[in-house]
Every structure is written in structure tokens, then in C-alpha cells.
Amino acid sequence: WLRLSPARRHWIDLVRPFRARAAEAPLYCRTDSHWTFAGYLLAYGEICRHLGLAPRQDILRRRIGSPAPYVGDLGLKFDPIRRETVESCLFETSARRIHANRLVTAFEAEGRGQAAHIGAHVVYRNDSREADPRRLVLFADSYGHHTSTPYTGSLTPLLADTFREVHVLWSTSIDWGYVERVRPDLIHFHCIQRLDISMLDVARRIGVPFVVTAHDGWWISDHQFLIDADGKIAQVWRKVKVPGHAEAVLEAAVALNG
């Protein structure tokens, strides 16, 4: 339905290019729900093209690291645990982090920087001549992690390598006061189902350009599911209708938690 809405020109559909390239190389890890290096390069290229920006062509030349054994969030759910060998997702870059909030620095002080999720806030600056002069605000989740991840693809390092300044906020809501203070040239929304699609209208009203990247079929699917504390599917709703659905989910969640 979004393709027929006023926001359709901001929509970046990754499903089609991922399907078209699926036979060429693994785009997702086998034991993790995130992209491989090839997958996140493909997503990055599609986002750049949508913005009328040529993606950096020298990323492969600047890669560092080597393949290594890895087990991701999916592999941990099996008994026995399933592992795989994955390629490094790291590369040399001119981008540097110029700000990290106390949540990120506290986790880093404990040696667990990558475990800082909701509430993480960082800013990257890239003063290289090749950087696009625009400022980007990225409302992200694990597909736009606040830091480089060695074995799964995150868009943040690639976008920080491309734009002059990138602000990354891992949040369950949009801080419009922050947007107005920073006055970005572009807002990049990820996994917006965790927030609310009305924010697209707000971005349009305050005059900040934005794009939405779709990572799954949430936008068009009428199937919903509930996950328990162990990460298992506890209940599935098929052919969902809006009236009464929120109440049914709340009732099931309450029952699930005793």
C-alpha cells in the first residue's frame, strides 16, 4: 500500500534486488538474521542510488580482516549450536566517531560496546574530500548498528564512510526535537514497524527529506506473531484485521507472562 501513498517516492524496496542477486552470493548469514558483507554492500548501493549518489567503489580494496568461525542469533537457538565461517565486514575508513552517549561509553568500558542497543547515540564525522557534504540522521536498529560489526553487515560504517556527518540513534521513538536541532539534510528510517508510520507525515511537515528502507515483509504482511522470553514463537495470527487485534495481542501477552 505504501507504493500508492504520498510517501512512495521515499520508499526503498530491498526485496527485489535481494531476490535478483540471491543466486550470486550469500546475502544473509546462515546462522544470523543479518546481512553478509555482500548483502550489506548491495543494500548500501541501492540506498545510494535512490538518493542520486554514487556508492563508494573502493570499499572492497579497503577491506581488512579474514574469514572466521561465527555463530549468530539464529545458530544459538539450535541444540547443538550451529556455526558457520563468515567473511569479515570491516574496512578502513576516514570516518571517525566524534560523539557517543553515556550508554555506549559505559558498555565499552566493560568491553561490551556492541551490546549497547536501544538508547545508543553516536555521531560520525568524515572530512575526506570524497565525502558527500550532507548530514544524515539514521534512526536505526541492528541493521544500522552504532559501531562496526566484524562478521555481520551494518549500514552505519558504510554511510559514515560516504556522508560528511552521520547521527545514529537506536530508539523506540523519534526525537523530533533532536531532528529540529540538528537540521539534517536527510533522515533514514529503518524497521519503522517498531515506531509508527505517522512519523513519515511529520518529517514531511517539518520539511526534512527522508527515505525508508524495508528489510522484511512487515509492510505488506497480514500475519503477526508473538515471541516468548526464550525467543520462541508463542502464537501466530493469520489474515489479521485491525478491529480487535491490539486487544487480542495484549490478552495473549498478559497470559504468556502469567
Side-chain angles (χ1 to χ4, degrees):
W1 61 266
L2 189 62
R3 295 190 183 95
L4 304 177
S5 78
R8 61 185 177 275
R9 66 187 180 91
H10 305 289
W11 172 256
I12 304 176
D13 184 1
L14 295 181
V15 175
R16 294 180 182 180
F18 268 66
R19 284 178 174 171
R21 299 278 293 276
E24 298 179 15
L27 303 178
Y28 284 87
C29 298
R30 295 180 62 85
T31 69
D32 196 285
S33 56
H34 297 86
W35 295 319
T36 61
F37 186 80
Y40 98 122
L41 267 187
L42 175 57
Y44 162 72
E46 291 297 317
I47 291 168
C48 286
R49 277 185 282 275
H50 183 87
L51 299 176
L53 175 69
R56 297 290 298 269
Q57 299 297 318
D58 59 346
I59 301 293
L60 288 173
R61 179 173 55 80
R62 292 186 277 131
R63 286 184 73 183
I64 55 178
S66 56
Y70 176 73
V71 56
D73 53 5
L74 300 179
L76 290 171
K77 297 183 184 301
F78 287 89
D79 186 15
I81 290 174
R82 297 189 181 183
R83 294 177 170 81
E84 62 179 318
T85 299
V86 296
E87 294 185 347
S88 171
C89 289
L90 302 178
F91 61 94
E92 295 177 345
T93 179
S94 298
R96 69 188 191 282
R97 196 178 75 185
I98 60 174
H99 170 76
N101 68 353
R102 286 168 46 179
L103 174 69
V104 174
T105 56
F107 272 85
E108 289 177 341
E110 297 177 357
R112 302 188 298 128
Q114 290 188 19
H117 293 162
I118 295 175
H121 174 205
V122 299
V123 180
Y124 287 91
R125 177 80 182 177
N126 186 347
D127 291 318
S128 69
R129 291 179 301 173
E130 294 82 8
D132 184 281
R134 287 177 288 183
R135 176 184 294 146
L136 172 73
V137 172
L138 176 66
F139 289 102
D141 66 350
S142 54
Y143 280 85
H145 208 341
H146 63 82
T147 186
S148 298
T149 47
Y151 301 118
T152 58
S154 167
L155 284 171
T156 296
L158 284 171
L159 295 173
D161 191 68
T162 304
F163 289 90
R164 180 73 67 214
E165 196 169 286
V166 174
H167 296 237
V168 183
L169 298 94
W170 191 327
S171 176
T172 57
S173 62
I174 300 300
D175 185 346
W176 290 110
Y178 184 86
V179 173
E180 291 184 325
R181 290 194 303 273
V182 173
R183 296 304 300 175
D185 298 288
L186 180 70
I187 301 176
H188 191 182
F189 292 111
H190 286 260
C191 292
I192 203 170
Q193 59 267 40
R194 297 184 178 182
L195 305 172
D196 187 284
I197 60 174
S198 64
M199 68 184 62
L200 306 184
D201 294 325
V202 177
R204 210 160 42 238
R205 285 200 303 271
I206 67 175
V208 179
F210 66 90
V211 292
V212 179
T213 300
H215 299 285
D216 54 36
W218 175 83
W219 294 89
I220 57 175
S221 176
D222 57 359
H223 289 15
Q224 301 286 313
F225 55 90
L226 183 66
I227 303 295
D228 64 19
D230 297 320
K232 309 293 185 182
I233 295 178
Q235 188 163 339
V236 177
W237 292 269
R238 302 186 186 278
K239 301 296 181 182
V240 168
K241 303 296 183 184
V242 173
H245 180 59
E247 292 79 5
V249 173
L250 178 59
E251 182 180 347
V254 170
L256 186 63
N257 286 283

